[in-house]
Amino acid sequence: MAANSSTGSATEPPGLETQWREIDNLNQQQLRAGDSWYLLDKRWYDQWKEYVHTGDQNSSSYPGKIDNTELYEDLDSYHLKERLTENEDFILVPAEAWHKLLSWYDMMDDQPPLERKVVDLPSTVKVEVYPVEVYLCLSSNLESTVSARFSRADKIHAIHQKIRQHFNVSETAESRLWMRSTDTSSERLRNLNMTVLDTCLSSGMTVIMEIRNADGTWPTSRPQIMRNSADEDSYQGPPGVCGLTNLGNTCFMNSALQCLSNTPPLTEYFLKNSYLEELNFTNPLGMKGEIAEAYADVIKQMWSGRHYSVVPRVFKTKVGHFASQFLGYQQHDSQELLSFLLDGLHEDLNRVKKKEYIELRDADGRPDQEVAEEAWHNHLRRNDSVIVDTFHGLFKSTLVCPECNKVSVTFDPFCYLSVPLPVSKERVMEVFYVSLDPTAKPTQYRLIVPKAGRVIDLCAALSQATGIPPNQNPNPFKMAVADVFNHRFYRIYQTDEFLSCILDRDDIFVYQLSSGCVDQDGEEVVMAIYMRERSHYRDYGSGSNSYGTSLFGHPLLMSMPRAQCTREALYQLLLKRLARYVRPLDPSEEVEEEEEDEEELYKAQTNGVSDDEGEEDSEEAGPSKKEEETQESSQNEEQNNCQSEASPSSEGEERAEEEESSSEPDRGSSTEEGQSACGSTDTNSQDATDGDQSAGAEPSGKEEEDEEEPASCAQANKRLPGRRHYTERRKKALFTMQAVNSNGTTERGMGEADGSFSFSSQPYIAIDWDPDMKKKYYNENEAEKYIKHQSMDVPHQQTTVQLQECIELFTTVETLEEENPWYCPTCKKHQLATKILDLWSLPEVLIIHLKRFSYTKYSREKLDTIVEFPLRDLDFSGFLLKKTVNSTEPPCRYDLIAVSNHYGGLRDGHYTSYARNKDNGQWYYFDDSKVTYAREEQIVTSAAYLLFYQRQDKIRHPTIPPPIPSSTQPENHVSSQTCDGMDGAASCVSMETD
């Protein structure tokens, strides 16, 4: 079977349909606390799914050994990479499914399994992908630490015992634990029965054990485990101008906190301790006041003027405690965190202690003013807090039934506006074009294609850019589009696939296949070509005596007529395609070599199938009659070879004498270089190659050589019927070839006895290089070179829109989606009604969420559109339905007070913020713990994500003049440049000072 061809430890797997059914059923298991689940690379799993769904054991999609290489930070420590996402980078399988896959396919050598436990956390049961990793040490030697990982459900007692065991501390010794964070403080861990989660212990922190002295005293009343914080406490900077330490991918939280911190009415509410009288400990929808208290603590520290940076560790832990989606240290959305925080603060500070049931009424033709006042009054009867006072406004929602024209009008409160961005119908894609011309380097193009287009539209755009006209073939552009990843084809696209499945971060190569000059009845085969380098030694430890291989360089896609698919033709074609960076053999280097004993030669193939498979193939060869036919075929081939090899490859080259000995051939390096051009592993496919096998070989007949031909052929024919021995002259080949699976890891049988290929699916061919041959003939520097087309020099023009356009889109009529229909009370059924949202009244502080992240059934993308938003005088009077009745009505003009920014793409990004200090009116740029001065012209960027506006009549003029930047400012507080922090932001943002 194919599944155990590469390893000696894998067991015989069941049929492909059975494999899928068993694993799929096991994956439906419910999570139970204490169970083990395993991380599995998503790419490998997808490859396995494709393989089992083909129903073909010999499919080229065979995944090979389980390979989690892409999940590790490095292959020395095997630490898991940060910010991995489930169902994008990895999938989770239960223990039983993992062990089945492991027994069927085995795992890459030395890779440890990624086992994780299911933990029961507040409000959720989940697999703990990232346990808490802390450092352990004794107070007597703070420099000697050891790292250890614990579950958030573990109790502190487990950590206590771990320290005792590792440092050989007696069970009778009295001790106490301290928790050291990264800020400058330490905290006593008094209750050993509390969980790691409840004690706010997080990765990167240190737990220190202090042992009581023999005289009953403690070495210190408080261990000096960090530098004294007196210097920090003495700092008196501008209140609110304070960074927030990144605890590990918490920039999303820091950005949202900085924006809320610089929202004057909310911050003053907490600084004046008004919240203490309104904490609601009984609200079943709240968090027992814990979120409000944790937020108040952060705000008071930030506005004390005594800290350069505050560590929001307790706040982060409390958020994760009540919202499990924020547990751990993965990247999240600042808008989602803000939504949870505002709702949590509202419920913790709700002045309504007991919510009454209120039946909602439809407008039924009543005036809007009356319905709106009723809706707002009903809202306040259940929701009354500082959050409602500051952030809540009112929508008018109008639904119209498409069948009976029933009009439903309701007024609903809102806390922020999520406005759409105008979506461009075009998309910019960067691709590498690989021409048929072997001397031409790959060229990088920047193309404009339809966003909702298909792969054929990409080919059309590239055809226009390259000037290559289409033809009349089924694929008019004769191009193949592929995603290249890690020296292999991650995916080869069909022309009718949507471009939305190609991400901006993918490395897309477009290969010109042929000019289309094929016979009318001819069929072209598109071959995927991989480059592999052999190791010098066979890998006996894996249960096989084959040589280990590793992929390198860029793969190729090329086509050739199926009728001409012979090993010799492919070898010659590859020599031409690789001519730019592969040096051909000189005539003086074209040494003819002898090969004997077909069976022994087959076993010695360096990249063939295992010995077991060879035996299977021999058994499948059938009865002796079939073997006799094979021997006859081999006899005929030998005769043809003798005739063709009678001519030397070049003038002046002496022909080596033919050995008549039938001894076993050497299986060393000479065999490696003497294999056929294809390196076939099939015993029935030892193809006889002629003297033109090497590039540039020109036969020149010599009559004296012809005279020797009958004797040598007769000698060969004499040996064949006996032990199937023969002696064959072959020119040295630059490389061998081997049919492999789509990953390039597992060999497949290839070729027929007549020298032609037979492929049941997409053929993948590996070019195997001997290390010495590769070093001598393969130019790696030249192979990596490419040309940038002039289209790459044209700066990408970002789309620019006005904020008012986004608000207009928000208030545009739309039809409900099928997943979210409206129940019409007249028709008594769900309808896809038309809906329009209008703004009725606006709050004191208006939060506008720019919907940069677009998620549909078919695509996910981030829009980098520049939204030009005003810093002052944002006028909403044209958008409000509620018109000013008298002079007591508040104005509709707003000024900007804060911005949350997101740099990067969908998966990797970084959050920062701009904010205007309420006391001095100065703008600052907050990048985690770093704070810099900002100028107003720097604020409007394509990274703007959340906009905070305050109504002009509520804005107070600064009572404290803004500070004058000087070189005396502390370097770690205000600097002239700040770079993206530990979340992997895209770029470094230069900041100028006034």
Side-chain angles (χ1 to χ4, degrees), residues 560-628:
M560 63 187 304
R562 183 178 290 275
Q564 301 176 19
C565 283
T566 64
R567 291 183 290 276
E568 170 63 17
L570 179 58
Y571 181 81
Q572 296 298 336
L573 179 59
L574 286 171
L575 286 180
K576 294 178 182 179
R577 287 301 303 268
L578 306 176
R580 183 171 60 86
Y581 46 90
V582 172
R583 181 175 71 83
L585 287 165
D586 293 332
S588 61
E589 298 173 308
E590 295 175 350
V591 180
E592 292 181 341
E593 298 182 354
E594 296 179 354
E595 291 185 2
E596 294 185 294
D597 192 345
E598 186 175 4
E599 290 181 359
E600 292 299 322
L601 176 63
Y602 166 71
K603 293 179 181 178
Q605 292 291 338
T606 57
N607 281 285
V609 293
S610 66
D611 294 340
D612 293 339
E613 284 186 320
E615 291 173 6
E616 288 180 12
D617 290 342
S618 299
E619 291 171 3
E620 292 173 0
S624 59
K625 181 179 179 181
K626 188 170 184 178
E627 183 175 343
E628 290 173 3

Side-chain angles (χ1 to χ4, degrees), residues 841-846 870-876 880 891-896 948-952 955:
S841 63
L842 298 177
E844 176 183 344
V845 175
L846 176 63
L871 274 63
R872 297 179 183 83
D873 297 324
L874 175 59
D875 189 1
F876 274 93
L880 279 178
C892 300
R893 292 184 179 274
Y894 286 79
D895 287 352
L896 188 73
F948 286 66
Y949 279 94
Q950 187 175 14
R951 210 165 59 217
Q952 283 183 344
I955 295 179

Side-chain angles (χ1 to χ4, degrees), residues 954-971:
K954 294 293 185 179
I955 295 179
R956 295 183 311 174
H957 294 289
T959 57
I960 303 173
I964 300 176
S966 68
S967 59
T968 59
Q969 293 286 351
E971 289 185 2

Side-chain angles (χ1 to χ4, degrees), residues 594-597 657-666 715-716 719 723 725-729:
E594 296 179 354
E595 291 185 2
E596 294 185 294
D597 192 345
E657 282 191 339
E658 200 172 311
E659 294 181 7
E660 296 182 358
S661 170
S662 60
S663 59
E664 296 292 323
D666 182 15
Q715 183 67 26
R719 288 200 297 264
R723 293 177 54 195
H725 283 197
Y726 67 95
T727 301
E728 181 178 347
R729 301 258 180 202

Side-chain angles (χ1 to χ4, degrees), residues 218-272:
W218 293 100
T220 58
S221 59
R222 182 182 179 88
Q224 298 300 313
I225 54 179
M226 290 292 286
R227 65 179 178 85
N228 196 297
S229 59
D231 292 340
E232 181 177 315
D233 292 339
S234 63
Y235 169 72
Q236 289 295 326
V241 185
C242 176
L244 290 169
T245 300
N246 193 315
L247 301 174
N249 287 327
T250 56
C251 61
F252 72 96
M253 182 183 76
N254 293 346
S255 177
L257 284 176
Q258 290 288 6
C259 292
L260 282 182
S261 169
N262 287 278
T263 301
L266 185 64
T267 294
E268 290 174 359
Y269 172 85
F270 281 97
L271 293 180
K272 294 177 181 178

